Amino acid sequence: MPKIVANALGPSPLEENLRRLTDEVGGRMTGSPAMSRAVAWAVAAFRQAGVDEVRAEKYTIPLSWSEGATRLEVLMPAPFPMRLVSVGWAPPTPAAGLEANLVDIGEGSEADFARAGASAKGAILLAHSEIGKTWEDLFNEYLRAPVIINRAVKSGAGAILWMSTRERGLLYRHQNTLTGELDRLPQAIVAREDAQRLARFLAAGEKVRVRLVMPNRVGGPAEQENVVAEIRGREKPDEYVILGAHLDSWELGTGALDNGCNAALVIEAARVIHATGLRPRR
Amino acid sequence: MPKIVANALGPSPLEENLRRLTDEVGGRMTGSPAMSRAVAWAVAAFRQAGVDEVRAEKYTIPLSWSEGATRLEVLMPAPFPMRLVSVGWAPPTPAAGLEANLVDIGEGSEADFARAGASAKGAILLAHSEIGKTWEDLFNEYLRAPVIINRAVKSGAGAILWMSTRERGLLYRHQNTLTGELDRLPQAIVAREDAQRLARFLAAGEKVRVRLVMPNRVGGPAEQENVVAEIRGREKPDEYVILGAHLDSWELGTGALDNGCNAALVIEAARVIHATGLRPRR
């Protein structure tokens, strides 16, 4: 153990390795060319770390998805710039966009939808949010969306605009489907300040008409790769201790925290084990 | 005075008035259609406030300027998304953009330029910044730019990219000319995180080649309007006490703080004076 700690605390390629993944490969969405570069990065880095074997294992995702040039045109009361991105795996709008009235559904509760009534039908809904600061807020953000989408689908809405949970124009993208299928409605995350500006128009009793253009590209089944490296055990080479991290990230940032640092850490663990000359039992 | 205070503290159209200027008119750059709407807003609001007279007085600006679709393409080492805007009154690049090597000139001191040497010629320069938090930082930001532009022009540089002084992708636009003339070099403000990513490539010894496309539109002399309202004095109607605020703003935001609140406050002061029934001496 002291040998491992000494090695882990010594000079390390970890930081430079992570810089290459985040700065040079950058955001790496599953299905993107950047993701292929990330796989090549991981294979090379594991080799450098001195593992017994490293390979890229193919698997298939049922659908590939990438974002086109998402935009929201405010037709009434006046045009102004809007910052937004599509929600992950949201279906595209028609090519010319979806033009509709904007309806504020507040927090998106049953009561909110009851209040909106028939006006939600065919409309683009605006869903408010609290500012996200804690882990609880984050999971609340994940958990509330499917319930609201259910209500939106039932009410016949055309699309949903989600107010970003981050301030100052920051957009935090995730997805509301976990099955590899397309989402049920076009949805975008709108910069908090821009969404609040829309909400103030509606609160002032003004009619807001918008056109949401979201030319997301959806493809058929696509082959992807996981990177698997092995240090074989000295006593039980057919048993496994697995250390893993996801390598992909959204392309809004460089995926340093989620999850580059952990991907680089798995490689670093392999390097340190190899560098000590110790061989694990399994 | 108690009468004025009571009126000022009573029910007021100030907030709704400011909402209309910031949300409905929004960003209002001199020379833009939004600026004409802002003038109409101010004229109507002064009328509503009950002043004796309100008029829009024409004046001419030597040049009109507006931003096209500014973009920075990173050609080497790899393409990735960049968030940036043109500096105010910066000249446009050629239509196809300006393709050049990126050269880091750090803080832009004489020593920095000496270090860059001949590599600055024809290059696009990257100028670092501190995070701006205080008034002093703000004025430092205004004052350092002209000096660095001088050095850049002397070194034969093609353009300057300024690292934004705000974090998290926020862009803070101003201009480095105060004479109504075009600036001497194309310049853009790049999101801090994006600029730092470029700087890390250069620090790692990689060659960075970029294309800056900045199709800014520059027009000839243009007529603009100041809004002037009067409450005539009871004793010396030909003398003046002037209360003023600039009405224009950049179009990156809605110009609430700079300077909508003060524009609305001038109108509110007129309303309160009128509402008290008091008539000032001059």
Side-chain angles (χ1 to χ4, degrees):
Chain A
M1 181 57 91
K3 227 174 170 179
I4 290 179
V5 171
N7 251 293
L9 293 177
S12 157
L14 175 64
E15 197 175 324
E16 169 61 12
N17 210 10
L18 182 55
R19 187 193 68 80
R20 284 205 308 272
L21 176 64
T22 53
D23 278 355
E24 300 192 9
V25 174
R28 45 202 174 277
M29 210 170 86
T30 299
S32 69
M35 190 60 207
S36 306
R37 296 203 303 274
V39 167
W41 167 89
V43 167
F46 268 127
R47 280 221 175 96
Q48 192 66 33
V51 295
D52 295 330
E53 195 198 321
V54 56
R55 59 188 184 273
E57 294 186 347
K58 287 192 199 308
Y59 69 99
T60 301
I61 51 170
L63 283 178
S64 70
W65 181 93
S66 67
E67 187 175 15
T70 296
R71 67 179 201 271
L72 184 73
E73 297 167 15
V74 183
L75 307 170
M76 288 179 63
F80 50 84
M82 282 276 141
R83 182 163 157 80
L84 75 167
V85 287
S86 173
V87 164
W89 271 262
T93 59
L98 183 68
E99 184 186 324
N101 292 335
L102 189 71
V103 170
D104 193 322
I105 46 128
E107 299 300 316
S109 66
E110 279 291 0
D112 287 324
F113 272 89
R115 242 187 315 276
S119 73
K121 196 174 159 68
I124 295 178
L125 306 182
L126 176 63
H128 287 238
S129 72
E130 305 282 320
I131 294 173
K133 286 187 174 164
T134 64
W135 278 107
E136 201 185 333
D137 293 342
L138 183 67
F139 283 92
N140 180 41
E141 181 175 341
Y142 295 157
L143 293 173
R144 68 194 281 265
V147 183
I148 297 173
I149 296 168
N150 272 346
R151 290 176 186 141
V153 169
K154 247 200 288 184
S155 73
I160 307 174
L161 301 180
W162 300 96
M163 180 185 289
S164 175
T165 52
R166 317 296 161 106
E167 294 179 289
R168 301 188 155 206
L170 269 190
L171 300 171
Y172 174 68
R173 158 138 73 201
H174 57 90
Q175 72 207 68
N176 300 315
T177 58
L178 295 168
T179 54
E181 282 166 32
L182 266 196
D183 209 336
R184 288 168 294 168
L185 281 178
Q187 292 161 61
I189 299 150
V190 180
R192 188 165 189 88
E193 293 76 11
D194 293 341
Q196 287 174 329
R197 187 173 179 182
L198 291 174
R200 285 193 299 268
F201 281 115
L202 294 171
E206 298 192 44
K207 183 172 167 176
V208 179
R209 201 154 169 88
V210 296
R211 182 184 295 122
L212 176 64
V213 185
M214 233 167 61
N216 293 339
R217 292 173 291 266
V218 178
E223 260 192 358
Q224 297 294 307
E225 292 171 305
N226 284 318
V227 179
V228 180
E230 276 187 50
I231 296 175
R232 259 178 294 277
R234 66 184 141 86
E235 286 179 17
K236 301 183 173 181
D238 293 335
E239 291 189 3
Y240 299 94
V241 176
I242 296 179
L243 194 60
H246 75 83
L247 182 57
D248 67 329
S249 77
W250 294 109
E251 78 286 35
L252 301 178
T254 65
L257 264 178
D258 187 358
N259 194 33
C261 54
N262 296 308
L265 218 51
V266 169
I267 293 165
E268 177 70 357
R271 184 193 69 79
V272 169
I273 292 170
H274 175 77
T276 55
L278 300 172
R279 186 152 286 269
R281 292 178 60 199
R282 50 173 66 77
Chain B
M1 182 58 90
K3 226 173 171 178
I4 290 180
V5 170
N7 252 294
L9 295 177
S12 158
L14 175 64
E15 197 176 324
E16 168 62 10
N17 209 11
L18 182 55
R19 185 192 70 79
R20 285 207 306 273
L21 176 64
T22 53
D23 279 354
E24 300 193 8
V25 174
R28 44 200 176 277
M29 210 171 84
T30 300
S32 69
M35 190 60 207
S36 307
R37 296 203 303 274
V39 167
W41 167 89
V43 167
F46 268 128
R47 280 221 175 95
Q48 192 67 33
V51 294
D52 296 330
E53 196 199 321
V54 56
R55 58 187 184 275
E57 293 187 346
K58 287 192 199 310
Y59 69 99
T60 300
I61 50 170
L63 283 178
S64 69
W65 181 94
S66 66
E67 188 175 15
T70 296
R71 66 178 202 273
L72 184 72
E73 298 168 14
V74 183
L75 307 170
M76 286 178 64
F80 50 84
M82 281 277 140
R83 183 163 157 79
L84 76 167
V85 288
S86 173
V87 164
W89 270 263
T93 59
L98 183 67
E99 185 186 324
N101 292 335
L102 189 72
V103 169
D104 193 322
I105 46 130
E107 299 300 317
S109 67
E110 280 290 2
D112 287 323
F113 272 89
R115 242 188 314 277
S119 72
K121 196 172 159 69
I124 295 178
L125 307 182
L126 176 64
H128 288 238
S129 73
E130 304 283 318
I131 295 173
K133 287 187 174 165
T134 64
W135 277 107
E136 201 185 332
D137 293 341
L138 183 66
F139 283 92
N140 180 42
E141 181 174 342
Y142 295 157
L143 293 173
R144 68 193 281 264
V147 184
I148 297 173
I149 296 168
N150 273 345
R151 290 177 186 142
V153 168
K154 247 200 289 182
S155 73
I160 307 174
L161 302 180
W162 301 95
M163 180 186 288
S164 175
T165 52
R166 317 297 162 105
E167 294 179 290
R168 301 188 157 207
L170 269 189
L171 300 171
Y172 174 68
R173 159 138 75 203
H174 56 90
Q175 72 207 68
N176 300 314
T177 58
L178 295 167
T179 56
E181 282 165 33
L182 265 198
D183 210 335
R184 288 168 292 166
L185 282 178
Q187 293 159 61
I189 299 150
V190 180
R192 188 166 188 87
E193 293 76 11
D194 293 341
Q196 287 174 330
R197 187 173 178 183
L198 290 175
R200 285 193 299 267
F201 280 116
L202 294 171
E206 298 192 43
K207 183 173 167 176
V208 179
R209 201 156 170 88
V210 296
R211 182 185 293 121
L212 176 64
V213 186
M214 233 168 61
N216 293 338
R217 292 173 290 265
V218 178
E223 260 193 355
Q224 297 294 305
E225 291 172 304
N226 284 319
V227 179
V228 181
E230 276 187 50
I231 297 176
R232 258 179 294 278
R234 64 185 143 86
E235 286 178 16
K236 300 182 173 182
D238 293 335
E239 292 188 3
Y240 299 94
V241 176
I242 296 180
L243 194 60
H246 75 83
L247 182 56
D248 67 329
S249 78
W250 294 110
E251 78 284 36
L252 302 178
T254 65
L257 263 178
D258 186 0
N259 191 33
C261 54
N262 296 308
L265 217 52
V266 170
I267 293 164
E268 177 70 358
R271 183 194 69 79
V272 169
I273 292 169
H274 175 79
T276 55
L278 300 172
R279 185 152 286 267
R281 293 177 61 201
R282 49 174 66 77

